[in-house]
Amino acid sequence: MIARFTLNLKKAALIVTHLDDDTLRAGETILSHPSWDWFIVSLSRGGQTDHARNFLQALLQFEAKGVIRNLDTINNQNPLNETELKHTILALLPEHYFSLVISHYPAGEYTDHNMHDDTGKAIILLWHSGIISAAEFRTFAIEDGKKSYLPRPIETAGIYKLLTKRIWKEKQSIITEIYGFDLNGFEAKTTTIAESLWPFSNSIEVKKTFR
């Protein structure tokens, strides 16, 4: 059964494919728990100076530590090479023991974004094998109705939270002022007033979501 509880978490890791995914999909969780020891990994655009600098600025806003990598340097395959992806994630994490790990949903978040699926699956397999230890694992819970509308939080997910006005404004500021996305662009439009996550307490349950 999907876990529906929240632990008194202290050490948390967030692993995302794109640098803005941290804010769009888990910004509320980070900003609402500034006392947690956050480490954020972004797997792409690290080779682009402006993006890397913006990511580091976002870390300061989150009061978090983290690292950004250029995913293209792993390989250009579609899907991504699972073994190399797992090795890269392990090398980027400062340690492998966490109270909470958050990443992408392995069975699709929104249409035609296989890199998200591959990243989520790689981390779940690391958790299942015991190489990464976590008391709880959460995945983003979003969908786009097969491209019929912009990605939105799933209201029936195990965790669904409406953002306070302050948190929403802070998220919007990170997306538009720090990351520099246009107010009328995809990223700003999908900075929703709610966030949702699927929480799992064991790897067997989350592995059932693989497709």
Side-chain angles (χ1 to χ4, degrees):
M1 178 180 293
I2 294 176
R4 289 182 177 271
F5 55 85
T6 302
L7 301 176
N8 183 20
L9 300 163
K10 298 295 182 182
K11 190 176 293 291
L14 173 63
I15 302 100
V16 294
T17 302
H18 303 105
L19 74 172
D20 55 297
D21 291 331
D22 54 9
T23 308
L24 291 175
R25 311 304 169 209
E28 190 279 337
T29 304
I30 304 170
L31 293 168
S32 296
H33 299 91
S35 64
W36 292 1
D37 184 9
W38 285 99
F39 193 87
I40 303 172
V41 174
S42 175
L43 292 169
S44 67
R45 297 184 179 180
Q48 301 175 36
T49 303
D50 288 346
H51 289 298
R53 182 171 57 246
N54 294 344
F55 175 74
L56 295 177
Q57 187 64 37
L59 289 180
L60 291 175
Q61 188 73 17
F62 284 134
E63 300 183 39
K65 297 183 288 292
V67 63
I68 185 170
R69 171 72 184 267
N70 187 5
L71 193 64
D72 294 337
T73 64
I74 300 175
N75 59 55
N76 294 316
Q77 298 179 34
N78 188 15
L80 298 172
N81 182 283
E82 182 181 291
T83 299
E84 291 185 52
L85 183 55
K86 288 193 291 186
H87 286 167
T88 298
I89 292 168
L90 288 173
L92 294 174
L93 289 170
E95 58 184 286
H96 301 151
Y97 301 91
F98 300 95
S99 302
L100 170 69
V101 173
I102 303 175
S103 191
H104 297 281
Y105 188 65
E109 294 170 348
Y110 48 96
T111 312
D112 299 331
H113 231 307
N114 294 330
M115 290 171 64
H116 287 179
D117 304 359
D118 294 338
T119 299
K121 183 177 179 181
I123 297 164
I124 290 164
L125 290 174
L126 289 169
W127 184 39
H128 183 70
S129 65
I131 298 173
I132 288 179
S133 175
E136 186 181 2
F137 189 94
R138 298 178 188 175
T139 67
F140 307 139
I142 55 174
E143 53 86 26
D144 66 356
K146 297 183 178 179
K147 288 189 175 181
S148 62
Y149 42 78
L150 290 172
R152 62 178 63 164
I154 298 173
E155 294 187 22
T156 57
I159 297 172
Y160 179 83
K161 290 186 177 181
L162 291 173
L163 277 60
T164 64
K165 188 175 182 179
R166 178 187 67 82
I167 294 289
W168 183 84
K169 284 187 172 181
E170 194 165 353
K171 279 186 56 169
Q172 189 81 344
S173 173
I174 294 171
I175 289 295
T176 60
E177 297 177 22
I178 293 179
Y179 284 139
F181 292 109
D182 191 276
L183 275 170
N184 296 313
F186 173 87
E187 290 80 8
K189 288 182 177 179
T190 55
T191 307
T192 56
I193 61 170
E195 283 183 13
S196 56
L197 297 162
W198 294 114
F200 298 91
S201 58
N202 70 79
S203 60
I204 296 174
E205 286 297 322
V206 72
K207 275 193 70 181
K208 293 177 181 178
T209 65
F210 286 8
R211 61 180 180 184

